[in-house]
Amino acid sequence: MAEPRRGGRQARGERRVEQLLDAVARLLCRTGATVPGTTAIAREAGVSPGTFYQFFADKESVLAALGERLVRELYAAHGPLFTAEHARLPPQRLTDAAFAPLLSFQPENPALLMLIRAELLGGVREMLTVRAPAMPAAQRDRVADMVCALLQAGRALVLAHQGPEADAYTAEVKAVIGRYLSSRTGSAPP
């Protein structure tokens, strides 16, 4: 009997990883920010807990992998959000370019911002470095944290509504973030 090709094993492994990522995404959609355990993830994926551990060390590693996948999908759909070009825009245009996609991306995944928080914090910090280069690092970290918190709270409001009302909440969240950034960095970037 011939050995299966490595490519076939690799493809099956990749499908299994996607199956597990899909399972944790579904569970997060049902539970919000409550992180499911590895047994629940395996059960949702229709695999044994042992199979889960063939691909992920723990629930934190599967969440990190899901976050990475979501970042790839976000950037594929909207392009890079945290660019020097965006950082130089007036505050309201900056919110349209860098933050509005986060408010509307994957509404079926309410835990999106929790999963990509590190990416989001890093991107906001980089934009603040361009926009307000004299801002002390500790203040830049606080402002980035505040922007992330505003996005998380705002996204929850947007997702709780539909149609024109969701659009109205999106506009409000963008206005709040734009005004906040303007107050911390000045209305005109360097």
Side-chain angles (χ1 to χ4, degrees), residues 74-75 78-91 93-99 101-102 119-132 181 189-190:
L74 175 66
Y75 288 177
H78 298 284
L81 303 181
F82 307 112
T83 65
E85 180 182 317
H86 290 161
R88 293 184 181 97
L89 294 171
R93 291 198 46 226
L94 168 62
T95 61
D96 286 338
F99 301 114
L102 289 165
E119 175 83 12
L120 181 58
L121 278 170
V124 173
R125 282 187 196 116
E126 287 177 28
M127 286 194 335
L128 289 169
T129 300
V130 170
R131 190 169 188 83
L181 286 173

